[in-house]
Amino acid sequence: MTYQWWIVLALGATALTLRVAVPLAAGGRELPTWLRNALTCATPALIAGLVVTLLWPASGVVSSTRTLTALAGVAAGVALLAGKRSILTAMVGAAVVTALLRLVLG
């Protein structure tokens, strides 16, 4: 498994932990507004971090095909969000578009 997939799995686990474990730990009590807002913004922030990590690796060498396919995936995700789809649908859609383009373009 490549490091990109480890990053995806780690971010997914982190987002799931934030969205599920924190409210469970509260034990049915109302969460403070600042915490609810932070949990709402956590997943998009993690996705943005993933995009930056995958677009600009530490080596500094990024192929144009890799950049274009990633940007096409991001565009697909943004379009799905603009169409009032869920964040999960947008993430899956972005990943599928990117993967298919990379498969086709090599």
Side-chain angles (χ1 to χ4, degrees):
M1 191 178 312
T2 62
Y3 79 95
Q4 289 99 338
W5 284 110
W6 285 111
I7 293 171
V8 169
L9 291 174
L11 290 175
T14 302
L16 181 66
T17 300
L18 289 173
R19 298 290 291 174
V20 174
V22 172
L24 286 176
R29 296 184 303 266
E30 182 75 22
L31 294 175
T33 303
W34 64 269
L35 183 56
R36 268 197 323 262
N37 292 340
L39 290 174
T40 301
C41 295
T43 303
L46 290 171
I47 293 168
L50 176 63
V51 168
V52 169
T53 301
L54 296 178
L55 283 179
W56 292 280
S59 67
V61 178
V62 181
S63 71
S64 60
T65 303
R66 180 179 175 156
T67 302
L68 290 175
T69 56
L71 290 175
V74 170
V78 168
L80 287 168
L81 287 174
K84 303 293 185 200
R85 302 291 183 213
S86 71
I87 188 75
L88 181 61
T89 303
M91 288 173 50
V92 170
V96 167
V97 167
T98 301
L100 289 175
L101 284 174
R102 286 186 182 174
L103 181 67
V104 169
L105 299 175

